[in-house]
Amino acid sequence: RPMSIMARFPARQMSFDGSASIKIPRQTGGTSGSFLAENGAIPVGALALDSITLTPKKMGTIIACSNELLARSTPSAMALVRDDIMQGIATALDTKFVSNDAASAGVSPAGIRTFDSSSTASTGTDLDAITADLKAAINAMTATNQPMNNVVWILNPVTANALRFIRDGLGTYAFQDQMNRGFLVGYPFLESTTNPSTIVMLANAGQIIVASDLAPQISISQDTSIHMNSAPEADLISASAGVQSMFQTDSTAIRGLVSLDWASRYANSVQVISSVSWS
């Protein structure tokens, strides 16, 4: 399984705590000050505010196992299946999280690459071009006046390894020492194969809100019936693929569910370098 991004991504974490939604206020405009003459009137300013709303969105999967397997396996097949369900859901969440998929109302949030209004193509593969690409991403984010105290790079491991072995004109590794300490040009980085090797992202995690129900749900049933299809039809009675009874086949269904949502407080909280071929 890929190394999880969401488990390590330092976003602002919130809990739905049973609520149907969470409303996050945000400031979209602010006041300013003015120099004043003696006895001059102080101008009145105002803040411009709106909000973003997060609602629980479900992701889940079901595994069916024979009761013979669960009863006679050593080590426990139940623990193996449960762990793989959660790892599979984590991989799917990471893939969605780093994507450029648009939001689907009431179903899934948008990938964080959509938080960048204009991705910039990589300018080349030598050290000067790579340095220019990294600098441009940092400058683009600082130009929006965002606080830069919780910023992380997101890299594919192939891209990260390419950076570790790039040398300067004197034969010295340009990035290796700092990357061995977990940093790339001053900011920490995360690696995962769920992020494409052609994409490098700089994400302002402090401006990205992740809300969840915290604990994933694992449910077990030996009495249910399941439409045995990776893309199940809504009408299970007339489903074209078979419906398997757990009771009739002496099997157990194990279901994993998580509920979460995420959004960015401000535009351009992510800067994307596309068409990367540093490897």
Side-chain angles (χ1 to χ4, degrees):
R1 297 292 190 182
M3 292 180 290
S4 174
I5 290 177
M6 290 200 66
R8 297 173 291 151
F9 190 75
R12 295 190 180 187
Q13 300 284 342
M14 304 191 71
S15 172
F16 287 112
D17 198 22
S19 301
S21 64
I22 296 176
K23 185 170 287 189
I24 311 294
R26 62 180 174 182
Q27 181 181 336
T28 59
T31 187
S32 62
S34 301
F35 284 105
L36 304 171
E38 184 177 356
N39 297 325
I42 301 174
V44 176
L47 299 179
L49 302 170
D50 68 359
S51 63
I52 56 176
T53 300
L54 301 178
T55 58
K57 296 176 175 63
K58 291 190 298 184
M59 175 175 281
T61 189
I62 295 175
I63 297 292
C65 297
S66 70
N67 287 336
E68 287 88 350
L69 173 65
L70 296 178
R72 299 170 185 170
S73 59
T74 303
S76 170
M78 177 66 77
L80 175 65
V81 171
R82 181 192 63 227
D83 291 347
D84 193 68
I85 284 175
M86 299 317 301
Q87 290 171 4
I89 290 175
T91 299
L93 281 174
D94 278 355
T95 303
K96 172 63 74 171
F97 186 69
V98 300
S99 73
N100 61 352
D101 294 348
S104 177
V107 177
S108 62
I112 63 171
R113 278 161 57 191
T114 63
F115 300 161
D116 180 16
S117 60
S118 57
S119 65
T120 303
S122 174
T123 58
T125 60
D126 61 17
L127 180 57
D128 287 343
I130 292 172
T131 303
D133 292 343
L134 298 175
K135 179 181 177 181
I138 296 170
N139 285 346
M141 185 168 288
T142 55
T144 63
N145 295 318
Q146 298 183 47
M148 300 286 287
N149 54 5
N150 199 7
V151 173
V152 295
W153 297 100
I154 299 177
L155 308 170
N156 185 283
V158 172
T159 307
N161 283 334
L163 290 173
R164 287 185 178 95
F165 291 99
I166 289 177
R167 298 176 185 261
D168 60 20
L170 299 177
T172 305
Y173 292 114
F175 302 107
Q176 191 172 100
D177 285 347
Q178 58 177 307
M179 292 186 72
N180 288 341
R181 296 191 299 270
F183 292 88
L184 176 61
V185 291
Y187 298 106
F189 64 91
L190 304 176
E191 296 180 51
S192 177
T193 53
T194 56
N195 186 62
S197 61
T198 57
I199 295 293
V200 169
M201 280 188 281
L202 182 67
N204 193 343
Q207 303 305 320
I208 296 174
I209 312 293
V210 176
S212 68
D213 280 336
L214 297 182
Q217 303 174 27
I218 298 291
S219 303
I220 299 172
S221 176
Q222 296 181 338
D223 303 315
T224 190
S225 294
I226 299 175
H227 183 200
M228 303 296 289
N229 195 321
S230 59
E233 300 166 40
D235 184 0
L236 298 184
I237 301 300
S238 60
S240 57
V243 175
Q244 178 176 326
S245 166
M246 298 297 103
F247 182 80
Q248 187 175 15
T249 58
D250 190 27
S251 301
T252 296
I254 307 165
R255 183 187 70 186
L257 285 176
V258 294
S259 296
L260 77 170
D261 195 10
W262 61 76
S264 176
R265 295 182 69 230
Y266 298 109
N268 298 313
S269 60
V270 172
Q271 297 296 325
V272 176
I273 306 172
S274 61
S275 303
V276 171
S277 57
W278 302 342
S279 58

